[in-house]
Amino acid sequence: MPPCPPLDLHFIGAFDGEIGYGPKGAENPLIWINQPFDGKPATVGNGSMPAFHATTRAAVDAFHAAALASGGRDEGAPGLRYSPNFYACYVRDPDGNKLSAVCTAAE
């Protein structure tokens, strides 16, 4: 499985129909990707949007660029929103899921 370098997430392992990613060397994943519990096809959730923590604004920028380079659509370019330290971007993956990367560190 490929890593997610902009957010420093690495493949941790596959477990019973799901895969997990987390920091390099971690034993427990921070994010899980799995098949729907009910066995039906996965669909885009209405009102659901995973937001990934980024340690720097540059990581948010890199996440956004990687998402677009991988076939995602822009839903909000990287920038400040809501407060002086809320730096985020929004994308839709090729399946239509909305994702965000957020950095709240002062830079």
Side-chain angles (χ1 to χ4, degrees):
M1 293 302 195
C4 180
L7 301 179
D8 197 30
L9 294 175
H10 302 268
F11 178 71
I12 302 291
F15 312 89
D16 225 7
E18 56 191 2
I19 58 174
Y21 286 83
K24 191 170 191 163
E27 291 183 26
N28 297 311
L30 294 177
I31 182 167
W32 293 94
I33 301 169
N34 52 28
Q35 298 293 323
F37 182 74
D38 64 7
K40 295 180 182 176
T43 60
V44 176
N46 182 22
S48 64
M49 179 190 67
F52 300 98
H53 171 75
T55 56
T56 66
R57 292 179 183 184
V60 172
D61 297 343
F63 175 87
H64 186 261
L68 298 183
S70 298
R73 288 191 331 262
D74 178 42
E75 287 278 326
L80 289 169
R81 295 169 170 80
Y82 314 119
S83 68
N85 292 326
F86 192 94
Y87 189 85
C89 71
Y90 302 91
V91 296
R92 292 229 181 236
D93 71 12
D95 293 324
N97 299 293
K98 190 171 184 180
L99 308 170
S100 177
V102 179
C103 175
T104 57
E107 285 192 76

